Amino acid sequence: VSGSPPHPSAGPTVADAGESALVARIRARAGEPPSFIHIGIGDDAAVIEPPRGGLDVVTTDALVEDVHFRRAWTNPESIGWKAVVVNLSDLAAMGASPRAVFLTLALPDALPLADFDAIVEGVVRAASSAGAALAGGNIARSPGPLVVDVTAMGSARRRRVLTRSGARAGDLLYVTGDVGGAAAGLAVRSRGIDPDSWTEPMRACVARYERPDARLRCGRLVAAARAASACIDLSDGLADAVRQLAAASGTGAQLDASLVPMQPGAAEWLGADPLARAIAGGEDYELLFSVPPRRRRAFHAAVARCRALTATHVGSVVAGSGAWLVRDGQRSELAPGFSHFSA
Amino acid sequence: VSGSPPHPSAGPTVADAGESALVARIRARAGEPPSFIHIGIGDDAAVIEPPRGGLDVVTTDALVEDVHFRRAWTNPESIGWKAVVVNLSDLAAMGASPRAVFLTLALPDALPLADFDAIVEGVVRAASSAGAALAGGNIARSPGPLVVDVTAMGSARRRRVLTRSGARAGDLLYVTGDVGGAAAGLAVRSRGIDPDSWTEPMRACVARYERPDARLRCGRLVAAARAASACIDLSDGLADAVRQLAAASGTGAQLDASLVPMQPGAAEWLGADPLARAIAGGEDYELLFSVPPRRRRAFHAAVARCRALTATHVGSVVAGSGAWLVRDGQRSELAPGFSHFSA
């Protein structure tokens, strides 16, 4: 995360450049497609060799200016990066490996061309860091906000796909990494604190908010080991993930407040009840797994191979229905959050 | 095309309903997915059985309010329909068969819930009319225009994919159906003429503009017969299609004005030079093929099987470069139009 002030507004805009010049800039940045992409950017559609013996996994998610990001806060390269990563995180939650991304941009006429280039750069970097290629998309004008919509395609092995719906009573709930960082990063940004005065923990929280990473390796390794009964990503917060996983599995679930791993330095930005904010706040892009007790050892072995990532036991799947928070010996319903029209 | 006035603004809005209720409405309308969709709406991503022995073909295209449509003119069901068809048209131009569509909606808070339902209904109808299922997507809030972004996936047989780039000098250019109808329909709408007073040709032109059909069967049959050397759809107009096909193929091309099939009744809505407007106006969603002379018979045989659709010889691929219009014995450069960041 750069602490530099956002983009200058001088210089040419996307309207000055025109659509065909914008396409040429994207093609130049995207580079040569890998061999499994038979036809990439520039025809009516992309043509892709299907995964050999595997399954196609497809997801789409959009970032809308002033809903999901503010151009005054986040540099355009990070906007492009994050638009891809939110999709890669969905692939991670299925245990899939990314192969191709498609980019739809709705562009305000006044968007500086330099910002356009930076958004595309972020998209290409995030895709290629995950082994995926930018294979197509389209550009439209927007009379309103900038919209960056990404579709990501990946592959998964048969009978190794993770879903939300396989959890059974008695399974253990694990979350990767830690939570609350993205919510704290948003708080730091929204209070307008000069980046030059940020401490390292503040910087780390803003990075979680603006430049997340998808837990692809972890999702893949746990899926390959068949070590989890279900998985979901934390795009709408840990509480929501627990609730969604339980609902999709037709079970109940409970989260133990004392076990939730908070990101260091996040709590002080999260108001009077940091834990509540941390689990309600979305955008941490960690993974929540349910693990049958007999697969616990296999799960830990898979996570141990996930480079510097840990998984923390935070609760359990229980009989019945509903999602519960156990805190100071009290059991209360997890407050409802957002649900995602997701796939 | 209904001539009825647009949506009432009374009644509940999408903001009243909330995201999870909107998702439930989409799932109910989408119905049960076909067996090749292992996991559809409701998980982190869709899981799809790849086409057996074939290739994945993927395209994405967005309709933005007040850029591509106006809610005051077009009923919401037609907006959803068209958002899918513009993508199916890209699959048609590759000779592909649609399998799945994904829907991203950026929704203004004040959008009536009834309009939301109608948009989804149009999406599902257009998809299922082409044999494709709505397999996922996502919903976001929009502080500005309504954005309906669709990704369509299809399959194509190996060595039967049509591209833009295979045309060779001496090939003949054919266009399906007729042109100018969509531009005339837009003119009828923009002049605010009372639908009750529309003649049948006016109604047909508005239908071309608001409720196009993709030439899927034609693309597929011509591709299967290997009867064309290249193909592109007319999303940005016939002139642009000729130019793009020539540029992608590294050839020149010329269009003969006297051969262009105009939609009946369109000319009177297209100003002083209807032909120029008809070929510059986009959105007819016909297909342009280049056909090697020795494949002419096979091409006509394939088109003869395309239910009530004709193809008209409109020009030829020529040596060199550039795109030309021959009119009244004069040869002039085809005016540049839009180009598409398309795939």
Side-chain angles (χ1 to χ4, degrees), chain B residues 183-279:
Chain B
L186 173 57
V188 169
R189 272 293 192 204
S190 64
R191 289 183 211 175
I193 299 163
D194 179 5
D196 290 337
S197 70
W198 291 353
T199 62
E200 266 316 306
M202 287 163 75
R203 206 173 292 278
C205 287
V206 174
R208 284 301 295 267
Y209 172 61
E210 294 186 349
R211 216 180 162 79
D213 286 304
R215 303 310 187 191
L216 285 159
R217 183 174 163 85
C218 195
R220 213 154 44 212
L221 288 170
V222 171
R226 303 177 93 152
S229 55
C231 182
I232 183 173
D233 85 327
L234 262 57
S235 48
D236 292 318
L238 177 57
D240 180 75
V242 169
R243 194 171 30 243
Q244 298 275 358
L245 186 143
S249 298
T251 63
Q254 71 182 34
L255 188 63
D256 186 331
S258 67
L259 300 178
V260 172
M262 287 281 283
Q263 175 152 336
E268 64 184 289
W269 299 96
L270 298 179
D273 187 349
L275 180 95
R277 277 278 296 284
I279 67 173

Side-chain angles (χ1 to χ4, degrees), chain A residues 1-318:
Chain A
V1 174
S2 136
S4 61
H7 46 80
S9 58
T13 67
V14 291
D16 298 331
E19 193 178 350
S20 63
L22 298 180
V23 176
R25 296 173 94 89
I26 291 175
R27 287 185 83 154
R29 274 192 159 65
E32 277 300 299
S35 62
F36 65 84
I37 296 183
H38 296 204
I39 298 173
I41 299 168
D43 216 304
D44 286 52
V47 178
I48 299 178
E49 184 74 39
R52 191 186 296 262
L55 299 167
D56 281 322
V57 183
V58 186
T59 187
T60 181
D61 220 339
L63 298 188
V64 180
E65 181 179 356
D66 294 338
V67 176
H68 301 100
F69 65 88
R70 287 174 195 261
R71 276 197 277 156
W73 294 351
T74 301
N75 73 63
E77 197 264 349
S78 293
I79 293 168
W81 172 278
K82 185 168 174 177
V84 171
V85 168
V86 301
N87 281 280
L88 299 182
S89 181
D90 284 326
L91 295 186
M94 308 297 287
S97 301
R99 305 178 82 223
V101 301
F102 298 84
L103 173 64
T104 294
L105 291 167
L107 302 173
D109 281 342
L111 186 78
L113 189 57
D115 288 8
F116 170 87
D117 286 342
I119 291 167
V120 173
E121 182 68 24
V123 165
V124 170
R125 275 194 198 164
S128 59
S129 77
L134 177 58
N138 79 93
I139 294 173
R141 286 181 49 236
S142 169
L146 169 64
V147 180
V148 186
D149 190 14
V150 171
T151 297
M153 267 181 90
S155 64
R157 291 168 60 196
R158 282 170 206 282
R159 289 173 291 280
R160 293 290 187 284
V161 178
L162 291 167
T163 69
R164 296 181 180 182
S165 56
R168 297 293 169 261
D171 290 353
L172 305 162
L173 292 176
Y174 284 85
V175 70
T176 60
D178 41 33
V179 303
L186 173 57
V188 169
R189 272 294 191 203
S190 64
R191 288 183 210 174
I193 299 164
D194 179 5
D196 289 338
S197 70
W198 291 353
T199 62
E200 266 316 307
M202 287 163 74
R203 206 172 292 278
C205 287
V206 174
R208 284 301 295 267
Y209 172 62
E210 294 184 349
R211 218 181 160 79
D213 286 305
R215 302 311 188 190
L216 285 159
R217 184 174 162 84
C218 195
R220 214 153 45 211
L221 288 170
V222 171
R226 303 178 92 153
S229 55
C231 182
I232 183 172
D233 85 328
L234 263 58
S235 48
D236 293 318
L238 176 57
D240 181 75
V242 170
R243 193 171 28 243
Q244 299 274 358
L245 186 144
S249 298
T251 64
Q254 72 181 34
L255 189 63
D256 186 329
S258 68
L259 300 177
V260 172
M262 286 281 282
Q263 175 152 336
E268 64 183 289
W269 299 96
L270 298 179
D273 188 348
L275 179 95
R277 278 278 296 283
I279 66 174
E283 304 213 282
D284 282 311
Y285 298 104
E286 298 292 350
L287 298 178
L288 177 72
F289 293 101
S290 63
V291 178
R294 62 185 166 76
R295 300 300 293 153
R296 200 171 176 175
R297 189 186 296 259
F299 177 76
H300 283 294
V303 172
R305 296 174 58 206
C306 296
R307 296 186 194 123
L309 192 66
T310 56
T312 305
H313 173 215
V314 290
S316 50
V317 181
V318 298

